Amino acid sequence: MAEFLLKSDIAEIAQRLGEASRDFSGKTVLLTGGRGFLGRYFMDVFAYLNEHVLEQPCRLVALDNLITAGKEGAEVPDLPNVTFVNHDVIEPFQWEGPLHYVIHAAGIASPFYYRAYPLETLEVAVRGTRNMLELAQCHQARFTFFSSSEIYGDPDPKHVPTQESYRGNVSAQGPRACYDESKRVGETLCYIFHEKHGTATNTIRPFNVFGPGMQETDYRVLPNFANRIKASQPLNIYGSGNQTRTFCYITDAMVGFLLVILRGVPGEPYNIGNPKPEISMLELVKRIESVLGRKVAHNIIEYPDSYPADEPNRRCPDIRKARLQLKFEPSVDLNEGLRRFLTWADKVYTGEA
Ligand SMILES: NC(=O)c1ccc[n+]([C@@H]2O[C@H](COP(=O)([O-])OP(=O)(O)OC[C@H]3O[C@@H](n4cnc5c(N)ncnc54)[C@H](O)[C@@H]3O)[C@@H](O)[C@H]2O)c1
């Protein structure tokens, strides 16, 4: 059986976090979306810190209603000091013990799924965020909301790379609005709790994170491509193929997320991603070919009905704020990240999604 997440990646995250991680010693952390792609990394990183780094264990309470967690997410490992609760965060959650950090990562993140579950997508980011903020306020815990780079919508090219201060070009209507607009409201809720109640809130705007552990049925671009490669089928590129993205390998992203959770300036949003390179989907196929050392057949096709139209033309983060304030520095280049992900997917994926 192949490893589901790479042990070497978990150790790399803990080692790169260094002394900062000791703040978690003896603390209690509530994590929502604990069985999603990022949530499973958090669970494994906390388990690793407890075993190898912290003097006093950190207790992790992970919530998830498993709506998009897939079969890997539903298999909850039995880890010391980690408690899993099957809970829908649209409902309030009662917690009587101490609580020091709330990480709200529950969400419906894949465009395929938010097309299928628009109301659930909206509510987890609005009602779910409010419920978790109230819990953080009541316990005076630090609160981190996983927003998205999608809050920038389709940015004016003058604002690419995009700074946190850019206000966005987002539609309140259409198939992407349930995700983009609800993340914007989630950020507004954080702002209100910070201003009105003094809650130490941060928002994180991740830019296309990828790596081992992405479900075969996730339907974001890289798992889609890896699945088609495994099935020896041509890759499908939607639209023109000229739309650009940046891709941040999971170990870089997790270090950035944890630095925000531990050291973010209260009230502030942070872009977390890897600004280099900003590449088109056609160039991404070329990168994959260079990593695999062979040609990969691909087709340029119309957007399927299952995929929300109006995708942004460009996406690239300006990460100077996280660099300056948190010493965040991505260090895994795209080819190396693709090599780790594709090698893993080749062992784990079935090619049947
Ligand atoms: N991974 C990325 O590149 C990326 C980019 C931008 C934003 N984000 C945001 O980061 C967060 C985590 O992303 P991910 O990639 O792990 O997503 P994911 O879809 O893999 O995991 C999200 C988890 O949240 C759970 N969930 C959804 N609604 C819930 C509810 N009402 N109650 C409890 N659990 C619920 C799902 O079952 C799933 O396990 C999400 O909020 C996402 O919007 C991620």
Side-chain angles (χ1 to χ4, degrees), residues 31-277:
L31 166 71
T32 74
R35 299 309 296 150
F37 170 47
L38 304 184
R40 282 181 270 123
Y41 273 90
F42 279 115
M43 281 180 76
D44 279 18
V45 168
F46 279 106
Y48 183 96
L49 291 175
N50 280 340
E51 196 179 336
H52 299 281
V53 180
L54 302 181
E55 277 165 26
Q56 301 288 322
C58 173
R59 175 159 190 207
L60 180 69
V61 181
L63 312 184
D64 202 303
N65 67 352
L66 306 179
I67 183 170
T68 57
K71 68 178 186 332
E72 294 82 10
E75 285 164 20
V76 185
D78 193 10
L79 299 168
N81 300 300
V82 177
T83 309
F84 173 74
V85 185
N86 187 329
H87 179 81
D88 186 334
V89 297
I90 289 167
E91 302 299 331
F93 182 71
Q94 307 298 335
W95 181 254
E96 301 302 338
L99 187 58
H100 304 94
Y101 297 88
V102 176
I103 306 170
H104 181 34
I108 298 191
S110 160
F112 175 87
Y113 288 110
Y114 60 76
R115 180 109 176 102
Y117 298 115
L119 281 175
E120 291 82 351
T121 302
L122 186 110
E123 297 234 307
V124 65
V126 179
R127 272 213 278 171
T129 303
R130 169 121 194 222
N131 285 335
M132 292 303 123
L133 276 163
E134 282 173 356
L135 197 62
Q137 180 204 352
C138 167
H139 290 268
Q140 297 187 327
R142 281 186 71 113
F143 179 88
T144 307
F145 172 52
F146 273 81
S147 176
S148 172
S149 54
E150 297 296 314
I151 62 123
Y152 299 121
D154 193 8
D156 180 330
K158 283 205 302 281
H159 291 279
V160 180
T162 308
Q163 285 184 14
E164 286 86 349
S165 54
Y166 178 60
R167 292 183 180 185
N169 172 23
V170 186
S171 173
Q173 306 255 327
R176 293 183 165 262
C178 61
Y179 187 72
D180 304 2
E181 294 286 55
S182 66
K183 291 290 192 188
R184 291 175 71 89
V185 174
E187 291 210 14
T188 308
L189 283 163
C190 294
Y191 170 81
I192 293 170
F193 272 72
H194 176 62
E195 290 295 306
K196 196 164 182 305
H197 303 302
T199 311
T201 61
N202 284 118
T203 59
I204 295 179
R205 300 171 180 166
F207 282 66
N208 288 64
V209 180
F210 76 102
M214 294 189 98
Q215 285 177 60
E216 193 170 2
T217 51
D218 183 286
Y219 303 111
R220 282 175 264 190
V221 59
L222 280 167
N224 254 353
F225 281 4
N227 187 264
R228 304 281 295 182
I229 291 167
K230 181 74 184 191
S232 304
Q233 288 178 335
L235 311 186
N236 287 330
I237 299 175
Y238 304 154
S240 67
N242 294 323
Q243 63 275 40
T244 66
R245 296 291 180 272
T246 58
F247 293 93
C248 184
Y249 188 67
I250 186 71
T251 54
D252 283 332
M254 285 298 296
V255 172
F257 300 155
L258 285 156
L259 287 172
V260 176
I261 291 162
L262 287 160
R263 301 279 154 89
V265 176
E268 292 297 315
Y270 291 92
N271 287 341
I272 295 293
N274 187 342
K276 293 218 164 78

Side-chain angles (χ1 to χ4, degrees), residues 282-300:
L282 286 164
E283 288 163 336
L284 178 63
V285 174
K286 290 209 175 71
R287 287 285 183 138
I288 290 174
E289 290 179 335
S290 88
V291 168
L292 296 178
R294 62 182 162 85
K295 288 271 171 219
V296 177
H298 55 277
N299 299 318
I300 298 181

